[in-house]
Amino acid sequence: MATKKTTKVAVPAVGCAEMQQAIIDRLHKGLGTDKDKANNKAWWNATCQAVNELVFEKLTQTHQNHAEKDTRAVNYLSLEFLMGRLLSNNLQNLEVFDVTQEALKGLGKDLYEICDEEPDMALGNGGLGRLAACFIDSLATLGYPAIGYGIHYEHGLFKQEFQDGRQIERPDTWREYGNPWEICRPESIQFVPLYGYVETVYEQGKGSRKVWHAGQKLKGVPWDIPIVGYGAKTVNILRLWESRAHEAFDWDVFNAGGYVDAQTEKSKAETISKVLYPNDSTDAGKELRLIQQYFFCACSVKDILRRFKRANKEEWSLLPEKVAIQLNDTHPTIAIPELMRILIDEEGLEWPEAWEICQNTFAYTNHTLLPEALEKWSVALFEKVLPRHLEIIYEINSQFLTKVVEKKWPGDDAKKSKLSVIEESQPRMVRMANLCVITAYKVNGVAAVHSELVKTDLFPEFHELFPTKLVNVTNGVTPRRWLKACNPGLATLLDESIGDDWVLNLDKLKEILPKATDTAFQKRFMDIKKENKVAMAKIIKEETGVDVSVDAIFDVQIKRLHEYKRQQLNLIHILTLYKRLLEDPDYDMVPRVFLFGAKAAPSYHMAKEIIFALNKIADKVNNDTRINDKLKVVFLPNYRVSLAEHMFPAADVSEQISTAGLEASGTGNMKFSLNGALTIGTMDGANIEMAEEIGAEHMFIFGLSVEEVKALKADGYNPYDYYYKNPELKSVLDWLDSDFFTPSHPGLLSDIKRSLLEWGDEYLCLADYESYVNAHQAIDTLYRDQSAWAEKAILNAGAMGKFNSDRSIEDYATKIWNLKKFPIA
Ligand code: 26W
């Protein structure tokens, strides 16, 4: 074992006794209780408050530092921030985790149990929201001036329960009893107009100007969550807007005896930030969602301009130098016409100057190629809710079509209609992605292959028009949460083997590569994996009552439920193994535990059917004594960040099996590999770059490539060809029509079969089936040789340096934001 190289001495800002005193003080003075009466919730709250004393000090220092230097900052606008829990993260990043653990132990409390009291802050759906959370961690860690802007949803992503195997959604109440991390900032309240009409006012000698007479006004109340960078050199903020009625009571209505009416107005206004939309791919297209988007963008843009004006007065031409605004997908696109509106209507700038500023301020990240996820709003809805913004969009579009498109392709109406922000359909629609690409100075995809497809398939004409605009920034994940905090065993092994600075420089992980064949290192690595599996097995037992053996392969698929992610392909492979076992009880296979975690959008029928089928199959398989526990299937309810933190470290196999070309990047793939799981995956998204780093021979790559998918689709794909050719596949699919899994209710699982045959198998599951089954066979073979398996697991973890969100942020900082670091001294 190499000697420990400690490059950065972690000096806790507080000692154990001091931390104990701070926690006890907060129990007394903050919560009005004491250590003998307090329950674990109160201990959690008091510990958070004690930590906040350290956080606030650094927050103030960061704020002063940035204000003094009037630094350029990035404003990350996102409808989603999937933060998870903050206590253990903040303790890690302040480097006081161990001292707090010791302090609580001395008080008879277990820090892990206390951390478990924290509700997840689930203000996001999936990948895009968690990426935003990793990014603000990295921005603070690297010392970049940055603010995350989002919505202070009262209810985050729904809580998932199963009733007879079916998904039921329950409201999430993350802040029902208050949240110690957030600070309300009434001094920074903003007001947001809505509805109404636009008047053109002519002024002698000055031409005309537009006045928007709003029909309603909302109040936006900001809540700040401090974001502690690792090492606590910078504490940035995440600012979340809560909607309220303009006046808590409309006194006129109230005095006229309309108390109830006033309350109705109030609750209508408060609806705007009430719930997170639970869709992660299909656009909801609802008025409330558009108002949510506008409310949040209007508050954020005004806040950004208020800070700009404080330092730069009305030197508007300096705005692009001081401010970068990153749009996380098209959800905050309305910030573009909002900035135009303020500059022109309120600040009196002329169109060309305002447009120049906008074009140099916004950048846009695309996270998906799925056509159903590209946001469109009906023109009629826009006209009703945001009449002035619609005018501005028309003007942007008209100038773009006449000055840019007409110049490049004179007389080509087909091009104009394709590139127009307005889709001339019935009804007419506003295409948000087109508005983003026309305006933004940079547009990025989130993995190399995805960014190429953005250029070639999604926006080829835009790429011709603006050849330097479309770029790539491959996603990454924060190693603080996704290795150091969630896998303390592996983190300690790394600290001892290569020094502890891998946390800030993940490329250092490659120093474990030479140890991949070292049997002593292999043993420690695999022992840690085993311990993590034991912990996971305990959670499985508690949550579902199912016993699983930690000697089995833990094969895990955790991500949103979507047909393109192909949980149904995993399902038919499980049925294949089950059938083989029933036909031959001696069938030789390494015992396997298939673990799932996934939420389905509440209105996504087929996704819910897949959950139901997996639960029914799990019931049958787990209770079938004939198969000698060789197969277990567990669908854990309510998949969320805090559950993921136990699942990644316990996985042997990572399922990344999307149809090639459809998963923009994936980020779970990176978390698995970082924690020593081997990937079974298609050449899609970031899997491709992972294969470059790891070596494809150390992964289980299967299935059609992007080109092969395109060719097969172009040829006319027929799933029946595969069904009739492969008797095993046929028998497995036919099984779904029986009542085997749903006794006395045949046909309950038939929709899955139908989707794979009659309805055309849009995601080519049957085309990839055979190669998938073979890849699983290779997994089984390799696992029998534990040393060979350990070697590959180590090679995987050691190759993950690139997939660090610090690297992603450095890429954004240099390629897009032109941002400088200003850590506090
Ligand atoms: C309009 C509703 C809606 C909501 C969310 C449409 C689309 C989305 C997101 C684009 C869904 C999402 O989370 N995309 C994921 O983003 C990750 C971070 O870049 C990628 O790693 C995933 O591949 C991508 O699916």
Side-chain angles (χ1 to χ4, degrees), residues 80 125-129 131 277 279-284 289 293 328-331 365-368 372-375 446 475 560 564-565 662-670 685:
E80 304 192 8
N125 274 288
L128 162 146
L131 187 76
Y277 271 83
N279 299 339
D280 75 328
S281 62
T282 325
D283 175 12
R289 166 83 175 177
Q293 294 183 346
N328 198 22
D329 216 277
T330 56
H331 317 156
T365 306
N366 173 282
H367 293 267
T368 179
E372 65 266 35
L374 294 178
E375 284 189 302
V446 289
N475 283 167
R560 281 300 284 251
Y564 86 81
K565 295 179 188 280
L662 294 180
E663 189 67 272
S665 161
T667 43
N669 45 3
M670 304 166 185

Side-chain angles (χ1 to χ4, degrees), residues 358-376:
C358 270
Q359 281 187 301
N360 289 305
T361 301
F362 289 102
Y364 151 62
T365 306
N366 173 282
H367 293 267
T368 179
L369 301 167
L370 293 185
E372 65 266 35
L374 294 178
E375 284 189 302
K376 290 178 200 169

Side-chain angles (χ1 to χ4, degrees), residues 449-678:
V449 67
H450 167 67
S451 300
E452 277 313 302
L453 291 169
V454 167
K455 285 184 200 165
T456 56
D457 296 22
L458 189 62
F459 303 133
E461 296 85 0
F462 285 121
H463 183 45
E464 259 189 82
L465 283 172
F466 314 117
T468 59
K469 197 179 271 200
L470 307 189
V471 298
N472 174 247
V473 179
T474 299
N475 283 167
V477 303
T478 170
R480 272 74 66 183
R481 182 177 293 263
W482 296 113
L483 180 51
K484 187 174 166 65
C486 75
N487 198 343
L490 184 54
T492 305
L493 174 61
L494 293 171
D495 290 349
E496 289 173 7
S497 317
I498 60 171
D500 61 6
D501 55 343
W502 57 270
V503 181
L504 286 170
N505 177 9
L506 205 65
D507 284 329
K508 286 264 297 194
L509 285 187
K510 61 172 172 285
E511 291 178 18
I512 66 168
L513 298 180
K515 298 175 199 292
T517 49
D518 170 340
T519 44
F521 191 80
Q522 286 180 350
K523 181 169 182 322
R524 285 196 66 188
F525 197 92
M526 294 305 276
D527 285 349
I528 292 162
K529 180 63 76 182
K530 186 66 85 43
E531 278 168 31
N532 294 335
K533 288 167 79 172
V534 169
M536 189 64 225
K538 193 161 163 267
I539 295 173
I540 293 170
K541 178 73 181 169
E542 282 162 10
E543 293 287 312
T544 66
V546 178
D547 287 300
V548 298
S549 159
V550 294
D551 294 322
I553 298 174
F554 278 20
D555 183 317
V556 187
Q557 188 170 18
I558 41 180
K559 49 182 80 251
R560 281 300 284 251
L561 214 136
H562 201 291
E563 286 163 284
Y564 86 81
K565 295 179 188 280
R566 299 201 295 191
Q567 281 94 350
Q568 70 278 31
L569 176 59
N570 193 339
L571 181 157
I572 57 178
H573 170 249
I574 292 170
L575 291 185
T576 304
L577 293 179
Y578 187 30
K579 204 161 194 77
R580 286 180 188 175
L581 283 167
L582 289 180
E583 280 164 11
D584 171 13
D586 294 325
Y587 176 70
D588 187 21
M589 64 173 272
V590 180
R592 226 26 114 114
V593 177
F594 288 94
L595 293 174
F596 291 89
K599 289 179 182 176
S603 59
Y604 188 171
H605 169 76
M606 191 49 69
K608 289 182 138 179
E609 289 295 300
I610 295 169
I611 292 180
F612 176 65
L614 283 165
N615 276 324
K616 288 291 149 189
I617 292 165
D619 276 352
K620 197 79 189 175
V621 166
N622 298 341
N623 297 304
D624 193 332
T625 50
R626 294 170 293 181
I627 59 171
N628 294 322
D629 287 341
K630 280 187 184 163
L631 200 56
K632 288 278 160 90
V633 181
V634 178
F635 203 128
L636 285 151
N638 203 31
Y639 178 59
R640 60 198 184 282
V641 171
S642 60
L643 184 57
E645 286 166 2
H646 295 288
M647 296 181 84
F648 287 113
D652 295 303
V653 174
S654 156
E655 298 268 354
Q656 307 302 333
I657 60 177
S658 51
T659 318
L662 294 180
E663 189 67 272
S665 161
T667 43
N669 45 3
M670 304 166 185
K671 294 167 198 166
F672 275 113
S673 205
L674 188 58
N675 285 279
L678 302 195

